[in-house]
Amino acid sequence: MNISMESMHPSADNDSMVHLAAPILPAMADPSNMTIIETSNGTIIEDQMFLNTLAAQALSGIFVWSALLLTCHQIYTHLRSYTVPNEQRYIIRILFIVPVYAFDSWLSLLFISNDQYYVYFDSVRDCYEAFVIYNFLSLSFEYLGGESGIMSEIRGKSIQSSCLYGTCCLGGMSYSIGFLRFCKQATLQFCVVKPIMAVITIILQAFGKYHDGDFNINGGYLYITIIYNFSVSLSLYALFLFFFATSDLLRPYEPVLKFLTIKSVIFLSFWQGMVLAILERCRVIPKALYIDGQMVGAGTVAAGWQNFITCIEMFFAAIALRYAFTCTVYQEKKDDVQENHPPMHSISSGLKETINPGDMVQDAIHNFSPAYQQYTQQSTQEVVQPSANGKSSRKSDKIMLITSDDEL
């Protein structure tokens, strides 16, 4: 079927004009299997779309399940050698980004024709990616001994001016507790903005006011994209500042691969999705009107390609994360501990501690409450010893007062 938009132009020689709210479907066709596409020149055609074919679903599924197997095995090895909870807690949370991203994207692709269900699936992914950014920064803090350990190394040192890291306007200033506060607050705000925007997106989508790539001022996509961009840019800027200030201290922990992997998964995928939405808006990517007989909204094809590409990317992300967050050093510590002590954690108790977000809540209070602005949180790295009842005792964070200084 090929219907030209020109045939519906007012100047056409027709006995009567019919205004079409939807494309005309062939009378003998089965609507349940029909896919209608609007091409770049405005022609409406019935055609097969790769994204809703069995080949696309199977290919993406192979990459997804391969990524899940790689990542779940790595998480299992960390839980088996859960010797440094203060670090491995954050590592396991970071590793979970692959299952969340991969399975979420695959489900969105499978339900591509079901009335924009992908918006609901992607909201879960959006919330978790903000959580990962916080955990990555917190892991870097733990590597260096917490706030007090970092301050003992950088406090009072001058900030070098660098256009690459965005410190060109900070020349002449020195590192202070305010600098660390800004880095933590800038990442924590992303953890707050992301879930709020996800809920707003769901509400707007339910009322037909949200479509990917629709920059109409009467829709919600434009404003949500602006807020997202500002929030994600501020978070990324804070991570760059922290990496710039502590790059020499973090060098033994090989931070570059960790940093690039996390940033590529989260930030590049965000901008990748936005570019695809713009391409559909500009009709570089054909716009689908119906998929398998179901009417779909604007941005569905762009979101489908984003989910398909993400399924493939997560396989390579799982490989990169396997090298970035290796379990070897923790396995060696486990062997040393077992010479004198029984295993400290079972897999279930380690997983329970990992998914408990209480440390994030306490950290948010510590960083945003005015009462704690001049305090640093002492991090301890001692091995947790099992108590008499078989449960591991928890480490308590110590708080030490830092002399007030000029803050950024």
Side-chain angles (χ1 to χ4, degrees):
M1 183 181 72
N2 190 320
I3 302 176
S4 175
M5 298 296 286
E6 295 177 355
S7 63
M8 293 181 282
H9 195 275
S11 62
D13 295 330
N14 296 320
D15 295 333
S16 61
M17 183 181 299
V18 179
H19 296 279
L20 300 176
I24 300 175
L25 305 181
M28 301 301 295
D30 182 5
S32 63
N33 296 320
M34 186 173 294
T35 298
I36 306 296
I37 297 175
E38 181 180 341
T39 62
S40 58
N41 61 3
T43 302
I44 300 176
I45 62 175
E46 178 189 0
D47 196 6
Q48 184 71 22
M49 190 173 64
F50 173 72
L51 292 175
N52 66 323
T53 62
L54 182 61
Q57 296 171 355
L59 180 61
S60 59
I62 291 173
F63 279 96
V64 166
W65 287 103
S66 299
L68 289 177
L69 288 175
L70 286 173
T71 305
C72 289
H73 177 264
Q74 186 178 6
I75 292 173
Y76 173 77
T77 56
H78 272 284
L79 291 174
R80 287 278 295 174
S81 306
Y82 202 61
T83 53
V84 188
N86 274 10
E87 293 179 8
Q88 290 175 282
R89 175 195 306 130
Y90 301 118
I91 292 175
I92 294 174
R93 291 172 179 175
I94 292 171
L95 294 177
F96 265 114
I97 193 174
V98 171
V100 171
Y101 262 57
F103 200 67
D104 174 275
S105 299
W106 195 49
L107 283 178
S108 298
L109 190 63
L110 294 179
F111 291 93
I112 188 173
S113 63
N114 291 68
D115 196 24
Q116 293 189 327
Y117 280 6
Y118 72 89
V119 174
Y120 304 101
F121 291 131
D122 291 353
S123 297
V124 177
R125 186 176 68 189
D126 290 342
C127 295
Y128 196 79
E129 71 180 29
F131 186 53
V132 168
I133 292 178
Y134 161 78
N135 282 281
F136 178 69
L137 182 63
S138 297
L139 176 62
S140 300
F141 270 61
E142 288 298 328
Y143 280 152
L144 303 180
E147 291 180 352
S148 60
I150 298 172
M151 288 307 303
S152 65
E153 295 289 341
I154 70 172
R155 183 168 179 252
K157 293 182 179 180
S158 298
I159 302 177
Q160 297 180 1
S161 179
S162 172
C163 294
L164 177 63
Y165 287 92
T167 60
C168 52
C169 299
L170 303 178
M173 303 183 70
S174 60
Y175 293 113
S176 66
I177 185 60
F179 173 82
L180 292 186
R181 284 286 179 272
F182 171 77
C183 293
K184 271 292 184 73
Q185 290 171 355
T187 52
L188 284 168
Q189 61 82 25
F190 190 51
C191 298
V192 175
V193 170
K194 266 288 189 179
I196 293 176
M197 291 297 103
V199 172
I200 293 176
T201 297
I202 292 175
I203 295 174
L204 292 176
Q205 194 273 338
F207 287 94
K209 295 295 184 180
Y210 180 89
H211 299 287
D212 280 342
D214 184 6
F215 290 93
N216 191 309
I217 59 174
N218 295 322
Y221 179 81
L222 173 63
Y223 306 105
I224 289 178
T225 300
I226 292 174
I227 296 173
Y228 265 159
N229 269 289
F230 177 79
S231 181
V232 75
S233 299
L234 180 61
S235 179
L236 180 60
Y237 176 63
L239 290 175
F240 267 112
L241 285 180
F242 180 79
F243 182 78
F244 178 72
T246 60
S247 57
D248 292 336
L249 302 175
L250 286 171
R251 187 169 290 113
Y253 302 96
E254 300 178 351
V256 176
L257 179 59
K258 296 179 175 66
F259 185 83
L260 292 179
T261 303
I262 297 300
K263 297 310 112 190
S264 61
V265 169
I266 294 178
F267 295 106
L268 293 185
S269 65
F270 169 74
W271 286 312
Q272 173 182 278
M274 190 172 65
V275 169
L276 288 171
I278 294 174
L279 289 177
E280 181 179 341
R281 182 68 175 176
C282 298
R283 294 187 175 181
V284 176
I285 298 176
K287 175 184 176 182
L289 303 178
Y290 286 84
I291 298 178
D292 292 337
Q294 300 290 329
M295 182 179 292
V296 296
T300 301
V301 177
W305 279 111
Q306 166 75 342
N307 290 317
F308 178 77
I309 295 172
T310 300
C311 289
I312 298 175
E313 290 174 337
M314 285 304 101
F315 172 74
F316 298 99
I319 297 175
L321 289 170
R322 195 173 186 86
Y323 287 98
F325 298 98
T326 178
C327 190
T328 304
V329 61
Y330 303 108
Q331 289 174 333
E332 294 174 352
K333 291 182 179 181
K334 178 185 177 183
D335 295 337
D336 295 338
V337 171
Q338 284 185 337
E339 291 180 1
N340 300 313
H341 302 285
M344 296 175 299
H345 282 69
S346 66
I347 292 178
S348 60
S349 61
L351 184 60
K352 181 179 179 180
E353 181 179 352
T354 298
I355 63 178
N356 184 1
D359 58 298
M360 178 179 172
V361 176
Q362 293 178 358
D363 203 18
I365 296 173
H366 177 74
N367 281 277
F368 283 101
S369 175
Y372 297 103
Q373 291 303 297
Q374 292 302 314
Y375 289 81
T376 60
Q377 199 165 15
Q378 175 70 46
S379 175
T380 57
Q381 294 293 330
E382 294 85 358
V383 177
V384 180
Q385 301 296 339
S387 59
N389 59 2
K391 295 182 179 180
S392 59
S393 59
R394 294 184 176 273
K395 292 181 289 186
S396 59
D397 292 325
K398 300 178 182 179
I399 304 298
M400 59 176 293
L401 180 64
I402 296 293
T403 306
S404 61
D405 50 9
D406 295 333
E407 295 190 3
L408 290 176

